[in-house]
């Protein structure tokens, strides 16, 4: 008979919402994971991508909205799964309430933190795919690689270098030139 093993505490939505505002955390299957503050490179990449996406979406004058971290996405109610993607586009406004996005955004970008790359490449890819995210990009400034995951239809994962121009698949005409971002980072 196996030895008694203590069970990890399951975090509820009420417990998560009671965390201090300055605490950065995500919840996967009811387990809370605390996050470090982003680095300068992370913030530079995030700012540039937010500007590109927001300018494009505003010019389209459609129903989609761009959000950047920290903004909660509740992927699953039970067991609770809440993430804070670095960037996202939400096209179904019924998923938005005053606190968060409830359900899968259409498009997500995560910028890899050197201390926890497996979170973005493995854990979040799994949860985003299963929740119904249409397109998920992993931007890795250290490796100078962008991994693009298309979760609609046939699942495709393609890696690009930072000298690439990459099409955002949820739109017909949105291209992002990563060489311009790389130049800002001097990499």
């Amino acid at each position: 008979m196996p030895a008694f093993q203590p069970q990890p505490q399951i975090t509820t939505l009420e417990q998560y919402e009671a965390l201090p505002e300055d605490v950065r955390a995500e919840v996967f299957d009811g387990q809370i994971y605390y996050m470090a503050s982003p680095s300068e490179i992370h913030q530079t990449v995030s700012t540039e991508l937010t500007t590109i996406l927001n300018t494009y979406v505003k010019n389209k004058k459609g129903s989609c909205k761009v959000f950047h971290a920290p903004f909660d996405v509740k992927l699953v109610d039970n067991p609770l799964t809440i993430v804070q993607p670095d960037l996202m586009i939400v096209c179904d406004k019924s998923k938005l309430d005053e606190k968060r996005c409830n359900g899968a955004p259409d498009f997500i970008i995560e910028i890899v933190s050197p201390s926890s790359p497996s979170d973005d490449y493995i854990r979040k890819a799994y949860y985003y795919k299963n929740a119904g995210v249409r397109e998920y990009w992993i931007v890795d400034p250290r490796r100078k690689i962008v991994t693009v995951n298309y979760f609609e239809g046939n699942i495709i994962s393609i890696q690009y270098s930072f000298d690439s121009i990459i099409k955002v698949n949820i739109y017909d005409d949105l291209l992002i030139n990563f060489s311009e971002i790389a130049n800002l980072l001097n990499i």
Side-chain angles (χ1 to χ4, degrees), residues 69-127:
F71 187 73
D72 289 344
V73 175
K74 184 172 61 165
L75 294 175
V76 180
D77 284 313
N78 191 10
L80 184 63
T81 299
I82 295 179
V83 292
Q84 291 185 352
D86 290 315
L87 295 159
M88 71 185 109
I89 297 175
V90 179
C91 296
D92 181 355
K93 290 187 179 178
S94 72
K95 292 181 179 180
L96 300 170
D97 61 26
E98 293 179 6
K99 295 181 179 181
R100 68 184 61 87
C101 175
N102 296 287
D106 295 88
F107 177 79
I108 290 178
I109 295 178
E110 293 284 5
I111 302 162
V112 175
S113 299
S115 62
S116 57
S118 65
D119 281 354
D120 298 318
Y121 284 104
I122 299 169
R123 183 194 330 238
K124 289 185 179 181
Y126 169 82
Y127 283 93

Side-chain angles (χ1 to χ4, degrees), residues 1 11 21 40 42 44 49 52 56 64 73 90 101 110 119 127 135-137 151-152 168-169 172 176:
M1 181 170 200
T11 302
E21 228 175 90
E40 178 185 348
H42 184 286
T44 301
L49 290 171
I52 292 166
Y56 178 87
C64 301
V73 175
V90 179
C101 175
E110 293 284 5
D119 281 354
Y127 283 93
E135 187 170 348
Y136 170 44
W137 290 19
F151 292 146
E152 289 184 306
V168 176
N169 204 48
D172 292 330
I176 298 179

